[in-house]
């Protein structure tokens, strides 16, 4: 298999970026790249927690549905619909916050920070639902 020069450069840069990311200290990010990387990493960690808690909250709603007569059920669907709407809401709010640095290198960091903040709030709301049952 033969790599073109351009493909070889992309492979080399990707490998270098992966190695560099392992060395980033998110407790003290220095460059804009590091700050953005750390903001994304923080959001993804909270998002993993949110996804787990959403499943637990959805299970709690399914338990409620199972205890209700068929015509009164809908707790799981209501939560599922709400979560889908919340994702759209989060994305639009964070897009708007990104406009503070539109087109600049800071824009993605602002969006990831917003994602993290709103995802923490949603996590708490879903955790309360999951814990209630």
């Amino acid at each position: 298999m033969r790599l073109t020069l351009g493909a070889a450069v992309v492979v080399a840069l990707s490998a270098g970026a992966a190695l560099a990311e392992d060395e980033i200290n998110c407790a003290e990010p220095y460059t804009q790249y590091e700050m953005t990387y750390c903001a994304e990493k923080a959001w993804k960690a909270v998002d993993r927690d949110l996804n787990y808690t959403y499943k637990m909250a959805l299970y709690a709603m399914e338990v409620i549905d199972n205890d209700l007569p068929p015509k009164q059920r809908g707790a799981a669907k209501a939560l599922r619909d709400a979560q889908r709407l919340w994702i759209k809401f989060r994305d639009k709010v964070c897009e708007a916050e990104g406009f503070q640095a539109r087109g600049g290198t800071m824009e993605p960091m602002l969006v990831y920070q917003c994602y993290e903040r709103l995802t923490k709030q949603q996590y708490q709301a879903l955790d309360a639902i999951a814990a209630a049952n």
Side-chain angles (χ1 to χ4, degrees):
M1 180 172 124
R2 222 174 134 220
L3 289 176
T4 65
L5 178 59
V9 169
V10 168
V11 169
L13 289 175
S14 297
L19 290 175
E21 289 171 358
D22 290 339
E23 299 171 7
I24 292 174
N25 178 3
C26 286
E28 295 181 25
Y30 181 70
T31 66
Q32 185 59 58
Y33 171 81
E34 291 173 341
M35 288 183 260
T36 299
Y37 169 80
C38 293
E40 180 183 19
K41 187 175 177 182
W43 165 61
K44 285 183 177 182
V46 173
D47 193 52
R48 279 190 295 276
D49 292 341
L50 174 79
N51 289 328
Y52 175 78
T53 303
Y54 169 71
K55 289 175 187 173
M56 301 311 309
L58 188 60
Y59 175 75
M61 295 296 99
E62 289 168 351
V63 168
I64 289 172
D65 278 343
N66 289 335
D67 290 340
L68 293 171
K71 289 185 179 183
Q72 291 183 355
R73 293 178 183 169
K77 182 185 181 316
L79 182 62
R80 198 175 305 113
D81 291 349
Q83 185 66 9
R84 289 176 180 156
L85 290 171
W86 174 81
I87 291 168
K88 290 178 183 181
F89 167 81
R90 177 206 62 197
D91 290 351
K92 286 299 181 183
V93 166
C94 294
E95 176 185 351
E97 283 193 24
F99 271 85
Q100 296 174 60
R102 188 63 169 182
T105 58
M106 232 173 88
E107 181 181 4
M109 180 192 71
L110 294 175
V111 171
Y112 288 133
Q113 288 173 338
C114 177
Y115 282 174
E116 180 189 10
R117 186 181 73 255
L118 294 182
T119 300
K120 281 181 182 177
Q121 291 172 0
Q122 185 68 356
Y123 166 84
Q124 292 170 343
L126 293 176
D127 191 48
I129 290 170
N133 293 313

